[in-house]
Amino acid sequence: LTVAMDEQRVAFEPAGELPQALRPLTPAVFRGFAELVYAEAGIHLAPVKQALVVSRCSRRVRALGFTSWRDYLDLVQRDPRERVHFLESITTHETHFFREPNHFELLRTMVIPALIEAAAAGRRPRQLRVWSAGCSSGEEPYSLAMLLLDLLPDWHLDILATDLSARVIESARAGLWPIRKSQEIPDAYLRRFMLKGKGAQAGVMAAGEEIRAVVRFDTLNLNDARYAAGTNLDLILCRNVLIYFDQVSKRRVIERLIQHLAPAGLLFVGHSESLGGITDALRAVRPTVYSLKENHQRAQ
Ligand SMILES: C[S@@+](CC[C@H](N)C(=O)[O-])C[C@H]1O[C@@H](n2cnc3c(N)ncnc32)[C@H](O)[C@@H]1O
């Protein structure tokens, strides 16, 4: 018993030093967070998302020593770095290699053969410019890189991959994933384009040189009034990003995004993100795949 008491003396301190409990998030303070997220990122946080804010941010709020969510809201409002941290916590970054395979199938069977034919007839250069907008940790742009390097071996390929979150861009640039992710990649591509960690890197898969060479990463907020993503892009993929936007911010984001599309370019959105009623400038060539209407006026 004496030993146990001694151990307790070392491991505990007087209860007066215990941190105070974090008080519940009230609807009014939640509205403050929702307004900030909407203004900053275009993302609509419906009231049902209150539990999400609590589950994703409580640990951070406690670590900062706050007992009230209003104090954290004040900090997020006045400190741009904390704002980035907060936005990263409440956005969803889930992604997979070759996610929504029918898009990759459409590229392989229809879009790329048509591009090859056009280049052979001298109607277009042998180069392809692609933008993965909202690329998360890089699985989408690296999947595109594998497919395009395979099917367009002697073309000049340029894949821009962007995301609001600097943290996911850093991880995409590093190009490292747990080895179980290899199951998402067809065998032939896995062997040709990916590396398997040895020794201290066992259990890790790394992007190989060939795919790294054609993908460039940058942070970019699609809700910004202006951004540099280049013009005349052949393919834009903005998949599973707009699910979190409302009609107004979705329209604004799409109208800006398509200013970057080449006249014959294609825009891919995620499978639950129809653009019906969003803009008159696009026509659906497939559900979730869009091209510009011919009479679409490009902004100056
Ligand atoms: C669910 S992931 C989708 C990744 C990939 N496109 C896919 O389909 O697998 C959504 C990504 O969109 C990003 N995002 C959310 N709002 C954004 C905004 N306003 N500008 C740019 N990226 C944004 C998030 O940071 C997140 O990484």
Side-chain angles (χ1 to χ4, degrees):
L1 183 66
T2 321
V3 174
M5 289 292 283
D6 283 348
E7 276 172 6
Q8 282 192 355
R9 255 181 234 116
V10 176
F12 291 85
E13 58 187 350
E17 302 295 320
L18 283 175
Q20 282 189 287
L22 177 58
R23 293 197 295 278
L25 172 59
T26 62
V29 175
F30 171 75
R31 270 196 304 280
F33 283 115
E35 279 163 18
L36 180 135
V37 171
Y38 190 71
E40 190 79 12
I43 296 169
H44 172 64
L45 277 188
V48 293
K49 294 289 168 70
Q50 186 158 327
L52 176 125
V53 172
V54 172
S55 70
R56 301 260 178 100
C57 304
S58 293
R59 182 200 287 250
R60 174 77 183 151
V61 178
R62 286 203 189 91
L64 288 164
F66 293 146
T67 53
S68 123
W69 284 92
R70 183 168 292 279
D71 290 344
Y72 185 55
L73 176 59
D74 287 345
L75 178 67
V76 170
Q77 281 168 335
R78 64 171 190 270
D79 178 349
R81 285 175 51 188
E82 190 59 38
R83 198 146 64 231
V84 169
H85 200 93
F86 171 70
L87 286 170
E88 278 170 350
S89 318
I90 57 119
T91 43
T92 300
H93 303 287
E94 190 198 331
T95 185
H96 312 286
F97 288 100
F98 297 95
R99 182 180 198 177
E100 301 185 357
N102 62 334
H103 282 163
F104 291 91
E105 209 40 34
L106 183 72
L107 289 170
R108 194 177 67 77
T109 57
M110 314 264 303
V111 178
I112 294 172
L115 289 168
I116 294 174
E117 204 181 299
R123 282 184 275 116
R124 61 161 299 128
R126 290 151 82 87
Q127 70 170 44
L128 200 67
R129 304 175 64 213
V130 182
W131 179 19
S132 164
C135 67
S136 190
S137 39
E139 285 85 331
E140 180 177 275
Y142 286 120
S143 301
L144 286 164
M146 292 187 248
L147 184 82
L148 299 177
L149 281 161
D150 180 29
L151 300 180
L152 299 170
D154 49 0
W155 282 45
H156 179 263
L157 303 174
D158 178 36
I159 303 170
L160 171 66
T162 64
D163 200 284
L164 170 69
S165 157
R167 187 167 54 75
V168 293
I169 286 299
E170 206 178 298
S171 116
R173 227 181 240 133
L176 301 172
W177 302 270
I179 199 83
R180 63 179 156 73
K181 279 267 187 182
S182 61
Q183 291 163 5
E184 301 168 2
I185 304 174
D187 270 358
Y189 285 178
L190 191 60
R191 277 195 294 274
R192 174 169 167 194
F193 298 112
M194 291 290 179
L195 302 169
K196 189 169 85 176
K198 296 192 295 190
Q201 295 297 333
V204 177
M205 174 177 76
E209 260 320 301
E210 210 181 346
I211 50 175
R212 283 177 194 272
V214 293
V215 187
R216 11 184 216 115
F217 291 99
D218 210 346
T219 52
L220 186 154
N221 184 350
L222 292 166
N223 198 43
D224 280 352
R226 271 172 211 291
Y227 48 70
T231 50
N232 271 314
L233 304 177
D234 299 296
L235 307 173
I236 300 180
L237 281 78
C238 185
R239 306 187 311 158
N240 306 301
V241 178
L242 302 171
I243 346 168
Y244 311 105
F245 290 54
D246 69 357
Q247 289 289 97
V248 175
S249 55
K250 202 170 176 178
R251 175 172 299 128
R252 195 171 57 220
V253 164
I254 286 295
E255 282 181 347
R256 270 180 218 143
L257 195 82
I258 61 179
Q259 300 302 326
H260 299 264
L261 204 55
L266 292 175
L267 168 67
F268 294 72
V269 297
H271 281 143
S272 56
E273 309 172 288
S274 157
L275 296 182
I278 288 287
T279 168
D280 293 336
L282 296 173
R283 69 185 178 89
V285 295
R286 288 281 188 286
T288 71
V289 183
Y290 297 84
S291 69
L292 291 171
K293 285 185 185 161
E294 268 159 33
N295 58 359
H296 170 62
Q297 289 298 306
R298 297 163 71 80
Q300 293 307 300

